[in-house]
């Protein structure tokens, strides 16, 4: 039977060889083995702890004893609507929205250039430029910004050299967005958030723009659309899934962050800080849990609205 | 005859590459004009120069007597059917077709009416609410055609529009595009690398090679009287014969169907092989070291491969070429 051995190769002997054959014939077993560990991790440790958190939010704390009452109740959620807590939520959501819009505006031209014009070495330089800040410690970057924006910092020095101190002073005089200096104002918080999360907006937008064929843009021009009309009617709608993906990052990261507003800003609380405070010193786990549910609900609502508005139609 | 498009010594260089090299060209109004050539011959760049996507490095382009250098594509009353159709994936078919009208500010009801008319013209009535992804290649092609035609362009440019279709559909679309052009009377400029397509559809053909036009003429002229070896080679399956074979001191072309077998007084040749093409059979011959092809009706009797035969043609069929290139 020499002819047969010529057709079917000898293959690997032993258990390993037989196992490969079994896997080849039953790809589902292979898939199950590959997916089991990560699914266990995701299901039990990650989703499980999230679920535990969700349950905590339906408990309440006894104001006198400070003990947790394990009766299911909506009392903690009512507490969220107390003006002081509502303020925290509104402040955080507004900041997240501003950061997202700001990031989209700054990211779009950069991503557009990278996707449509940059090639070879310039493209490599682009990726390096975007990724490099992500390699250094988050805390280092935030503290660096505190120094940059401080009253004695380089930014004020530069403004002084440009004889624009009066402009900055006038800006800082403004209510809400102003403050003693940039580093203790909401503007400072905004700038640092924008800086830290910008790569998370640029990369998905660039990926979306890269998938837009150049002929679509030419077709738009060909049919009489000016560059502005082409941007509005072709490029932006096709980049929208990327912008939405980016905004999910910038929005949710800002909603959850508790370090930046603590180091740079007006020392008024954001959701992340409130969670930190309530689960730590205050020991009010139910309220902390209820606070963490807020970003989850907001993100869910945001995605649902984006889908309803057809943001993912071009996918 | 009004001149629709004229090129005067137009060049377009990309770095050191001369994509278009001193091209002179005149396309008449209402003409179906084909630009034929291998890939990289400059035909598509010429089309993009008319559309406005490229600007000439040197030379002068006029469309209906108006100088168009520096005029952006969106100000030119010229529309393009793209090779990959370039339909907007996020818009429905009717919005795709109405796009040109929409950016011109035509009211919704009016532009939808015109779009439906254009879709009826390309035999896709009632497809308006679908998305491009739900259509077949041939249907997308028709939508692309309707989207361009609805703007009533002075010149319609078609960039290898049939390249992605299968053979049967391509032949059908060739006929439809041809009759559409006759009915509308719009100047069509058609880029293709398929000589059969150019010969069957065009009123006139320009054959491109290496950025230059080798020959311009009617399909008959291009086919029967190629001016150069390149044209004879590229257009149709002509036999290209060197000077020492013809004895006329010049290169010549000889169409395969002009060769016949003869009993006596012909050139001796040997049958090398044959291929069955359906209605016709192509026979490869070796005539004293020169490879020749001839076409026979498949119904005719044919000498066996390897047999010695004599072949002949009438002097009128041997076309001497000016250009040895």
């Amino acid at each position: 039977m020499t002819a047969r051995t010529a057709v079917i190769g000898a293959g690997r002997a032993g258990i390993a060889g037989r196992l490969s054959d079994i896997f080849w014939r039953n790809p589902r077993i292979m898939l199950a083995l590959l997916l089991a560990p990560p699914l266990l991790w995701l299901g039990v440790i990650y989703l499980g702890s999230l679920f535990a958190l969700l349950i905590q939010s339906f408990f309440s704390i006894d104001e006198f004893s400070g003990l947790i009452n394990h009766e299911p109740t909506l009392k903690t959620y009512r507490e969220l609507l107390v003006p002081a807590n509502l303020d925290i939520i509104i402040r955080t959501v507004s900041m997240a929205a501003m950061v997202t819009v700001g990031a989209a505006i700054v990211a779009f031209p950069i991503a557009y250039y990278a996707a449509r014009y940059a090639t070879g070495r310039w493209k490599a330089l682009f990726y390096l430029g975007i990724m490099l800040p992500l390699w250094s410690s988050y805390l280092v970057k935030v503290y660096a910004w505190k120094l940059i924006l401080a009253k004695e910092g380089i930014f004020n020095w530069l403004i002084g050299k440009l004889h624009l101190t009066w402009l900055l002073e006038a800006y800082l005089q403004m209510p809400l967005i102003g403050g003693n200096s940039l580093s203790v104002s909401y503007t400072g918080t905004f700038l640092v958030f924008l800086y830290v999360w910008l790569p998370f907006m640029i990369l998905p937008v660039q990926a979306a723009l890269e998938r837009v064929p150049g002929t679509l843009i030419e077709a738009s021009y060909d049919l009489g659309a000016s560059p502005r009309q082409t941007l509005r009617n072709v490029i932006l709608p096709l980049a929208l899934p990327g912008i939405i993906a980016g905004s999910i990052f910038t929005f949710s990261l800002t909603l959850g962050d508790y370090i930046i507003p603590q180091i740079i800003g007006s020392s008024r609380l954001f959701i992340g800080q409130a969670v930190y405070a309530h689960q730590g010193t205050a020991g009010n786990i139910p309220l902390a849990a209820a606070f963490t549910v807020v970003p989850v609900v907001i993100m869910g609502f945001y995605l649902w609205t984006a889908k309803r508005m057809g943001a993912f139609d071009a996918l | 005859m009004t001149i629709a498009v004229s090129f005067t010594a137009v060049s377009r260089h990309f770095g050191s590459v001369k994509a278009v090299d001193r091209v002179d060209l005149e396309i008449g109004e209402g003409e179906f004009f084909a630009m034929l050539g291998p890939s990289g011959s400059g035909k598509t760049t010429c089309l993009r120069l008319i559309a406005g996507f490229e600007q000439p490095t040197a030379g002068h382009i006029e469309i209906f007597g108006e100088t168009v250098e520096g005029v952006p594509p969106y100000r030119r009353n010229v529309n393009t059917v793209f090779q990959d159709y370039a339909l907007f994936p996020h818009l429905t078919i009717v919005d795709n077709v109405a796009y040109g009208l929409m950016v011109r500010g035509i009211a919704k009801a009016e532009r939808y009416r015109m779009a439906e008319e254009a879709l009826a013209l390309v035999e896709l009535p009632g497809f308006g609410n679908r998305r491009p992804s739900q259509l077949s290649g041939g249907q997308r092609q028709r939508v692309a055609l309707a989207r361009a035609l609805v703007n009533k362009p002075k010149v319609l440019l078609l960039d290898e529009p049939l390249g992605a279709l299968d053979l049967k559909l391509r032949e059908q679309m060739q006929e439809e595009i041809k009759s559409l052009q006759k009915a509308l009377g719009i100047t069509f400029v058609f880029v293709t690398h398929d000589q059969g397509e150019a010969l069957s559809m065009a009123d006139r053909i320009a054959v491109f090679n290496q950025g230059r036009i080798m020959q311009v003429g009617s399909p008959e002229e291009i086919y029967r009287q190629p001016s150069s070896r390149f044209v004879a080679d590229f257009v149709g399956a002509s036999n290209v014969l060197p000077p020492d074979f013809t004895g006329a001191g010049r290169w010549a072309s000889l169409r395969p169907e002009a060769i016949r077998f003869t009993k006596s007084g012909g050139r001796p040749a040997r049958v090398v092989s044959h291929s069955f093409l359906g209605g016709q059979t192509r026979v490869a011959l070796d005539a004293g070291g020169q490879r020749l092809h001839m076409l026979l009706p498949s119904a005719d009797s044919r000498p066996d491969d390897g047999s010695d035969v004599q072949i002949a043609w009438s002097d009128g069929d041997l076309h001497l070429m000016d250009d040895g290139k």
Side-chain angles (χ1 to χ4, degrees):
Chain A
M1 294 296 277
T2 47
R4 167 148 294 194
T5 51
V7 173
I8 299 173
R12 239 164 17 131
I15 292 176
R18 200 164 311 160
L19 262 181
S20 336
D21 288 0
I22 290 173
F23 286 153
W24 188 85
R25 278 192 285 268
N26 304 288
R28 274 156 198 260
I29 296 181
M30 179 80 167
L31 200 65
L33 282 175
L34 275 175
L35 282 180
L39 278 182
L40 275 177
W41 168 269
L42 198 74
V44 176
I45 300 179
Y46 188 77
L47 288 179
S49 54
L50 233 137
F51 189 67
L53 189 81
L54 193 69
I55 290 178
Q56 294 278 341
S57 70
F58 290 104
F59 298 156
S60 60
I61 196 160
D62 190 303
E63 277 116 43
F64 299 108
S65 61
L67 292 174
I68 290 167
N69 178 3
H70 292 263
E71 286 285 309
T73 171
L74 287 174
K75 179 170 168 278
T76 316
Y77 281 102
R78 270 198 298 278
E79 212 174 312
L80 269 188
L81 302 178
V82 167
N85 288 338
L86 205 58
D87 265 1
I88 294 175
I89 293 171
I90 291 170
R91 182 179 303 129
T92 312
V93 172
S94 319
M95 178 60 79
M98 298 282 290
V99 168
T100 299
V101 171
I105 291 171
V106 176
F108 192 85
I110 300 175
Y112 189 82
Y113 166 78
R116 300 232 74 89
Y117 297 104
T119 49
R121 184 178 305 198
W122 285 109
K123 195 145 210 159
L125 207 66
F126 159 81
Y127 279 116
L128 200 69
I130 301 301
M131 304 298 271
L132 204 59
L134 294 178
W135 297 349
S136 59
S137 159
Y138 167 80
L139 275 177
V140 169
K141 284 184 289 186
V142 176
Y143 274 108
W145 270 100
K146 190 171 180 68
L147 291 180
I148 292 170
L149 295 178
K151 223 177 180 72
E152 308 79 20
I154 189 166
F155 185 77
N156 272 25
W157 172 82
L158 188 71
I159 291 287
K161 286 286 172 198
L162 294 170
H163 303 287
L164 290 172
T165 308
W166 58 272
L167 194 66
L168 182 64
E169 291 295 334
Y171 181 84
L172 289 174
Q173 289 298 317
M174 286 201 275
L176 200 62
I177 56 173
N180 246 340
S181 79
L182 276 176
S183 64
V184 293
S185 68
Y186 281 137
T187 306
T189 321
F190 169 81
L191 284 175
V192 179
F193 269 133
L194 185 63
Y195 166 81
V196 172
W197 306 142
L198 192 60
F200 296 95
M201 180 63 92
I202 293 177
L203 291 175
V205 174
Q206 188 242 0
L209 285 171
E210 216 144 78
R211 283 201 304 271
V212 178
T215 49
L216 288 189
I217 294 165
E218 284 188 347
S220 175
Y221 288 150
D222 189 76
L223 293 164
S226 64
R228 178 201 286 260
Q229 287 173 314
T230 301
L231 181 73
R232 234 198 64 159
N233 296 307
V234 177
I235 301 171
L236 275 182
L238 290 174
L240 200 59
I243 297 173
I244 298 287
S247 69
I248 291 168
F249 287 123
T250 56
F251 198 72
S252 62
L253 287 170
T254 310
L255 280 183
D257 195 273
Y258 66 99
I259 293 177
I260 290 174
Q262 192 181 328
I263 296 172
I264 295 164
S266 64
S267 78
R268 272 169 291 217
L269 291 183
F270 280 60
I271 287 178
Q273 291 166 285
V275 173
Y276 185 74
H278 283 299
Q279 64 87 35
T281 44
N284 191 346
I285 297 281
L287 187 57
F291 260 118
T292 45
V293 170
V294 172
V296 175
V297 170
I298 289 172
M299 286 314 294
F301 180 73
Y302 176 68
L303 285 179
W304 178 73
T305 317
K307 190 171 158 35
R308 286 266 319 235
M309 284 169 60
F312 306 114
D313 283 1
L315 280 182
Chain B
M1 185 179 68
T2 316
I3 304 295
V5 179
S6 93
F7 277 37
T8 313
V10 170
S11 295
R12 177 68 175 103
H13 300 173
F14 297 101
S16 61
V17 180
K18 294 175 177 173
V20 174
D21 188 16
R22 283 166 290 153
V23 161
D24 293 298
L25 187 64
E26 277 188 354
I27 301 172
E29 183 177 12
E31 207 174 9
F32 197 129
F33 192 87
M35 294 183 177
L36 175 67
S39 60
S41 61
K43 57 190 193 303
T44 297
T45 308
C46 275
L47 198 79
R48 293 172 60 79
L49 283 163
I50 303 174
F53 301 132
E54 302 286 347
Q55 294 293 323
T57 310
H60 183 63
I61 301 175
E62 285 182 11
I63 300 177
F64 283 92
E66 288 180 64
T67 302
V68 294
E69 281 105 80
V71 178
Y74 50 88
R75 292 204 203 292
R76 299 185 184 201
N77 203 353
V78 167
N79 288 114
T80 307
V81 175
F82 290 85
Q83 188 170 10
D84 61 357
Y85 317 137
L87 300 181
F88 302 121
H90 60 296
L91 299 180
T92 58
I93 297 304
V94 71
D95 278 325
N96 260 283
V97 176
Y99 187 86
L101 307 171
M102 187 263 292
V103 296
R104 279 183 186 82
I106 292 173
K108 195 164 192 167
E110 173 68 0
R111 67 176 190 254
Y112 275 17
R113 192 187 58 72
M114 291 169 78
E116 277 301 338
E117 257 176 42
L119 282 171
L121 190 70
V122 297
E123 287 164 27
L124 282 180
F127 277 65
N129 288 327
R130 302 194 195 183
R131 296 251 168 188
S133 56
Q134 294 169 302
L135 300 191
S136 70
Q139 289 169 332
R140 285 181 213 186
Q141 156 82 80
R142 289 159 193 261
V143 174
L145 208 55
R147 184 177 69 172
L149 288 172
V150 79
N151 303 296
K152 305 200 164 43
K154 300 286 273 182
V155 181
L156 183 76
L157 308 172
L158 302 105
D159 185 8
E160 306 242 10
L162 307 178
L165 303 181
D166 58 58
L167 183 65
K168 191 140 177 97
L169 198 54
R170 193 155 65 212
E171 285 172 350
Q172 187 194 340
M173 284 306 292
Q174 283 176 10
E175 283 173 27
E176 283 185 28
I177 290 176
K178 180 74 189 160
S179 57
L180 204 57
Q181 192 265 342
K182 283 274 172 289
L184 298 171
I186 294 174
T187 312
F188 276 34
V189 181
F190 189 100
V191 159
T192 181
H193 65 268
D194 182 330
Q195 56 278 25
E197 208 162 273
L199 291 173
S200 70
M201 295 171 81
D203 296 324
R204 278 199 310 150
I205 299 172
V207 183
F208 280 76
N209 188 33
Q210 296 180 342
R212 313 204 64 167
I213 292 182
M214 305 302 288
Q215 189 175 0
V216 182
S218 69
E220 289 263 299
E221 283 166 6
I222 298 278
Y223 187 68
R224 288 184 192 284
Q225 292 145 29
S227 64
S228 63
R229 271 170 68 195
F230 174 81
V231 175
D233 251 342
F234 193 78
V235 180
S238 268
N239 294 293
V240 178
L241 306 171
D244 54 339
F245 185 85
T246 60
R250 280 199 280 169
W251 285 80
S253 76
L254 181 63
R255 285 170 297 115
E257 64 272 24
I259 304 177
R260 56 188 154 75
F261 293 117
T262 181
K263 290 271 181 285
S264 59
R267 265 180 194 263
R270 177 182 296 255
V271 178
V272 178
S273 64
H274 69 278
S275 11
F276 178 70
L277 304 176
Q280 290 179 310
T281 298
R282 188 172 59 214
V283 179
L285 303 158
D286 185 334
Q290 172 66 41
R291 179 62 73 97
L292 291 172
H293 285 106
M294 63 184 291
L295 282 173
L296 287 177
S298 290
D300 288 10
S301 66
R302 164 178 61 76
D304 292 332
D305 291 355
S307 57
D308 288 307
V309 293
Q310 294 199 36
I311 51 170
W313 50 85
S314 51
D315 286 344
D317 285 326
L318 191 72
H319 169 69
L320 297 176
M321 295 182 291
D322 308 327
D323 196 341
K325 277 184 292 196

